[in-house]
Amino acid sequence: LGLPIGKYISLRFQDEDGKRHQRSYTPVTGDETCGKVSFVIKVYKAGVHPKFPDGGKMSQHLDSLSIGDTIEMKGPKGHLNYLGRGKFTVKLMRKPLETRKAKHFGMIA
C-alpha cells in the first residue's frame, strides 16, 4: 500500500436519505502486501447502547457490504509523518513543518 506510518485513509458513503458519512481508519496491511488493504473495524449495531440508538452508521454500512461492492476512499491523510528512531514531522494548520523527537509514543485505538 505504501502508506507512511502516522497516516490514515478516510472512507465515505451516502445513505438512502442522501446524507454523507465519513470516518477515518488506519490500515493494518503492511507495505509488503500488494493490491490489498485491510482494516480492523468494530461494528456498532443499532439498539445496543442507549446513548447511541442508531449505532455506528459507517461500521454498519461496511458490515453490510458484499464482495464486489465499492466505497469511496481518500488518503493518505494526517499531520504526522514518522521518520524512524523516534523522529517525526508534524504539520499543523498555518504553521511550518516541524521536526520533533520522542522517547515514547502512546497509541489509542
Side-chain angles (χ1 to χ4, degrees):
L1 187 62
L3 191 70
I5 295 171
K7 302 292 182 183
Y8 53 91
I9 293 175
S10 290
L11 306 180
R12 184 171 68 179
F13 79 99
Q14 187 169 328
D15 66 18
E16 59 277 350
D17 297 327
K19 185 176 179 186
R20 289 183 173 258
H21 300 273
Q22 179 173 310
R23 295 288 179 271
S24 296
Y25 300 99
T26 301
V28 295
T29 313
D31 287 344
E32 67 282 353
T33 306
C34 296
K36 174 179 151 179
V37 62
S38 297
F39 301 92
V40 175
I41 300 170
K42 180 177 178 178
V43 178
Y44 292 93
K45 299 280 187 187
V48 174
H49 196 286
K51 277 185 143 180
F52 307 100
D54 296 334
K57 298 283 189 181
M58 177 62 77
S59 65
Q60 290 178 78
H61 176 73
L62 292 171
D63 191 45
S64 75
L65 295 176
S66 298
I67 293 176
D69 289 346
T70 62
I71 190 160
E72 294 178 46
M73 299 176 76
K74 184 178 181 180
K77 298 171 79 177
H79 302 286
L80 186 140
N81 189 26
Y82 187 70
L83 305 172
R85 298 187 180 270
K87 288 179 124 181
F88 59 98
T89 59
V90 179
K91 176 66 175 116
L92 301 174
M93 283 181 30
R94 296 187 273 294
K95 297 205 175 185
L97 186 67
E98 194 176 315
T99 301
R100 298 181 184 179
K101 187 166 183 152
K103 291 182 182 177
H104 303 281
F105 285 94
M107 303 294 281
I108 299 174

